[in-house]
Amino acid sequence: MGVPETLADMLDNNAWKYPDETAFVWADTRVTHAAFHGRVSKLASAIRRLGLKRQDRVGILSQNRLEFQEVYGACEISGFICATVNWRLAPPEMVYIVNDSAPRVLVFEEAYAATVEALRPHLKGIEHFVCIGEPPSFAVGYEDLLASGDPAGCDLRPKPDDVAFLIYTSGTTGRPKGVMLSHKGVVAAAEILGSDMRNAPSDRLLIMMPLFHIGAKIIQLAQHWRAGTVHVQKGFDPPAILDCLEREKITVTHMAPTMIQTLLGAEDIAKRDLASLRMIVYAAAPMPLPVLKRGLEILGPIFQQQFGQTEGIGTTLLAHQHRPYGSERDREILTSVGQASPRIGVRVVDDHGVDLPVGEVGEVLLTSPAVMKGYWNNTAATLETLRDGWVHTGDVGRLDAEGYLYLVDRKKDMIITGGENVYSREVEEAVVTHADVSEVAVIGVADETWGEAVLAIVVPRAGAVPTAQEIIDHCRPLIAGYKKPKRVLFVDEIQKLPSGKIDKVRLRTLYGQS
């Protein structure tokens, strides 16, 4: 066997070299690398017998569970594209993503059977519905489908440039964009992150972040690049997480800072035996300094920050660089998002794409072997974001003399709340459809629990007196729950620039800390 170039190669490699080592742990189920390879090969065959061709899409709507990983694996080994659907989205958002990605098969968890049934009249092109659990009348059972496959697998294999995953990320226009991630790109990301995390076959990784996002999936693949064990949790349940960390002697885990803060606040954390835990990777938002200090006191110097986006991996602030009690320089570095690994490039450019000197602020660009192929069905957005192999992130930052990257703003008005990305425009488009709203601007405001909370600044229609709760309730069926405003502020007018555009900088100055 040569150097792995596809995710199928990775699966083959682990089943060959580590057949009896545990690949996944889900509840009371433990699956070896050989057994996992056997199940995903059989599932790929069953899907192939439904008539799917290489690069056809298989949709998945589910919370974290072993079957989610098996659907990923079946696509990885065969060349089908796994198209994930965020279960937290509102029904109209789900319909758009499913219709845009156009899967011929949709696999869904039993808990979402009623949702899928209600959406079926609006879904185009799905030929087969597959239910994990007790299937409704319009679907086949997951295990029944799997049993129909050939244990030898199917006749398809992916190519390095094939799309492996289609993962949707919010856009500034309010329409999600499907990020196409290739086999060779994802393999490169797994290798790079695995190196940064110092993964080994003896490691035991705990995943609780949602698998419909790239973060959890890439961290899992980074672990499997070295054939370690991955424990899957359905979601973030602090007592269950602590039990698993202690019982299974977990060595690595991945969380958003808000999750770390909650875990550190558990009454019995000091009594837990967490000595096996050597690394907590955090991403999606900066770590508040008080949380970091408490984490270091309780767990030791095990925190590592990853910065990037679905379109491409970025920088790393390594564990040994987290020194809140060090020199002034140490504390300055702690406000950065780290440095680029050897196979990752970072630039900061002006509006004309010209590289800026050290310390000057501009747009952050990233490149690596792991950058996306482009956006699905969206050539214009691809050309805007991906130029000459560089991802234009939309984040604004600066580099220092040692290559540390500091983010200072978000060009696309993104709000990060509880580890989830929310773009202000899609919230504004939901709020403004309320009959009593004349104008709205949405910004992120500081929040101790969520990092940022979504604030809607509203100018009511003349003579109308809407309440904050009415505005929030109005958004509930239109956008995902985590996107809807947590606070609503009513004003007489919204500050604007001479051009007539809303002055978001001024609004953040006035209300950003409220």
Side-chain angles (χ1 to χ4, degrees):
M1 178 177 288
V3 176
E5 294 183 295
T6 68
L7 295 167
D9 295 339
M10 281 180 57
L11 287 165
D12 291 346
N13 188 63
N14 289 343
W16 171 42
K17 294 179 179 176
Y18 305 93
D20 299 323
E21 298 296 326
T22 303
F24 286 105
V25 179
W26 160 251
D28 296 327
T29 301
R30 293 173 185 267
V31 182
T32 66
H33 283 288
F36 184 74
H37 187 279
R39 279 182 66 86
V40 301
S41 297
K42 194 172 182 180
L43 180 59
S45 168
I47 294 171
R48 172 68 164 152
R49 288 175 172 178
L50 294 177
L52 272 72
K53 305 181 297 295
R54 190 169 61 85
Q55 295 293 273
D56 277 345
R57 274 75 61 206
V58 177
I60 172 78
L61 172 64
S62 173
Q63 294 190 44
N64 290 2
R65 55 185 305 132
L66 180 60
E67 291 89 346
F68 201 135
Q69 293 286 14
E70 290 177 344
V71 172
Y72 262 129
C75 293
E76 291 164 13
I77 208 164
S78 63
F80 304 134
I81 298 173
C82 187
T84 64
V85 183
N86 180 344
W87 53 266
R88 299 179 67 181
L89 295 178
E93 295 170 310
M94 289 185 186
V95 168
Y96 174 79
I97 285 173
V98 173
N99 286 340
D100 188 62
S101 59
R104 295 177 65 186
V105 175
L106 178 64
V107 182
F108 61 93
E109 194 174 10
E110 182 182 356
Y112 303 106
T115 299
V116 173
E117 185 163 20
L119 297 181
R120 279 179 69 209
H122 309 286
L123 301 179
K124 305 171 185 176
I126 298 177
E127 300 168 15
H128 307 278
F129 292 88
V130 181
C131 181
I132 302 169
E134 186 64 30
S137 59
F138 63 86
V140 65
Y142 178 87
E143 291 295 335
D144 292 334
L145 174 67
L146 194 150
S148 71
D150 185 340
C154 73
D155 59 339
L156 300 177
R157 289 285 290 189
K159 300 176 182 177
D161 283 317
D162 282 349
V163 177
F165 309 143
L166 188 54
I167 296 181
Y168 280 76
T169 182
S170 294
T172 55
T173 62
R175 287 293 194 185
K177 292 177 289 188
V179 179
M180 297 185 288
L181 300 173
S182 71
H183 276 260
K184 69 179 182 182
V186 175
V187 167
E191 181 182 8
I192 293 167
L193 292 182
S195 175
D196 281 349
M197 294 164 60
R198 308 189 311 277
N199 285 346
S202 58
D203 271 312
R204 294 172 296 280
L205 169 71
L206 175 61
I207 287 289
M208 69 202 74
M209 298 287 279
L211 285 166
F212 57 72
H213 280 328
I214 193 57
K217 181 58 183 172
I218 286 293
I219 293 288
Q220 173 253 308
L221 289 170
Q223 175 77 322
H224 278 168
W225 173 256
R226 295 294 290 123
T229 299
V230 175
H231 293 250
V232 179
Q233 285 279 343
K234 184 175 183 179
F236 182 63
D237 179 346
I241 296 300
L242 285 170
D243 286 345
C244 184
L245 290 172
E246 187 173 30
R247 181 184 66 252
E248 301 291 347
K249 304 299 180 187
I250 298 297
T251 60
V252 182
T253 191
H254 170 221
M255 288 187 258
T258 53
M259 295 176 175
I260 296 171
Q261 182 177 5
T262 300
L263 211 64
L264 293 173
E267 292 182 1
D268 62 339
I269 189 168
K271 300 176 183 178
R272 298 280 192 162
D273 178 8
L274 303 178
S276 62
L277 195 58
R278 68 169 184 82
M279 181 172 291
I280 295 179
V281 177
Y282 67 94
M287 178 84 78
L289 188 58
V291 177
L292 176 61
K293 287 181 175 179
R294 177 165 170 77
L296 292 172
E297 289 169 4
I298 295 175
L299 300 173
I302 65 171
F303 295 93
Q304 182 159 301
Q305 180 180 181
Q306 298 284 354
F307 162 70
Q309 51 187 208
T310 309
E311 292 85 343
I313 58 177
T315 55
T316 304
L317 188 65
L318 299 167
H320 76 272
Q321 295 168 331
H322 286 68
R323 295 186 289 261
Y325 301 105
S327 66
E328 183 178 345
R329 175 58 175 159
D330 290 333
R331 292 192 295 275
E332 179 188 23
I333 287 171
L334 199 53
T335 65
S336 77
V337 291
Q339 299 163 304
S341 298
R343 297 185 71 192
I344 297 173
V346 179
R347 295 165 58 199
V348 173
V349 303
D350 64 17
D351 290 340
H352 303 288
V354 177
D355 289 281
L356 292 169
V358 164
E360 290 199 19
V361 171
E363 184 174 9
V364 177
L365 275 57
L366 300 172
T367 192
S368 75
V371 297
M372 68 171 181
K373 286 176 70 74
Y375 294 116
W376 182 262
N377 291 336
N378 199 334
T379 302
T382 299
L383 293 173
E384 179 184 355
T385 302
L386 189 61
R387 303 175 221 166
D388 298 322
W390 289 85
V391 172
H392 290 242
T393 67
D395 288 313
V396 177
R398 61 180 175 84
L399 286 165
D400 72 13
E402 294 179 86
Y404 287 93
L405 176 64
Y406 301 79
L407 300 182
V408 298
D409 202 350
R410 289 186 290 275
K411 194 173 181 178
K412 299 176 182 177
D413 292 329
M414 186 175 71
I415 301 163
I416 302 177
T417 178
E420 292 282 356
N421 293 347
V422 176
Y423 286 87
S424 60
R425 184 167 177 178
E426 59 184 334
V427 185
E428 289 163 354
E429 289 177 350
V431 173
V432 80
T433 60
H434 191 286
D436 291 337
V437 172
S438 173
E439 192 174 17
V440 60
V442 168
I443 63 171
V445 296
D447 186 277
E448 289 184 2
T449 301
W450 302 106
E452 285 186 301
V454 178
L455 170 67
I457 304 164
V458 171
V459 177
R461 179 179 53 80
V465 190
T467 67
Q469 194 58 52
E470 287 173 354
I471 300 296
I472 294 169
D473 290 344
H474 172 78
C475 293
R476 199 178 305 276
L478 303 176
I479 52 177
Y482 64 86
K483 296 179 182 179
K484 70 182 190 300
K486 284 191 169 59
R487 308 174 198 172
V488 179
L489 176 68
F490 295 100
V491 297
D492 294 328
E493 67 173 355
I494 292 174
Q495 286 76 12
K496 295 183 176 64
L497 297 167
S499 63
K501 293 182 178 180
I502 291 174
D503 188 350
K504 289 288 184 76
V505 174
R506 177 65 175 156
L507 293 179
R508 292 191 191 102
T509 301
L510 290 173
Y511 309 117
Q513 300 301 318
S514 62

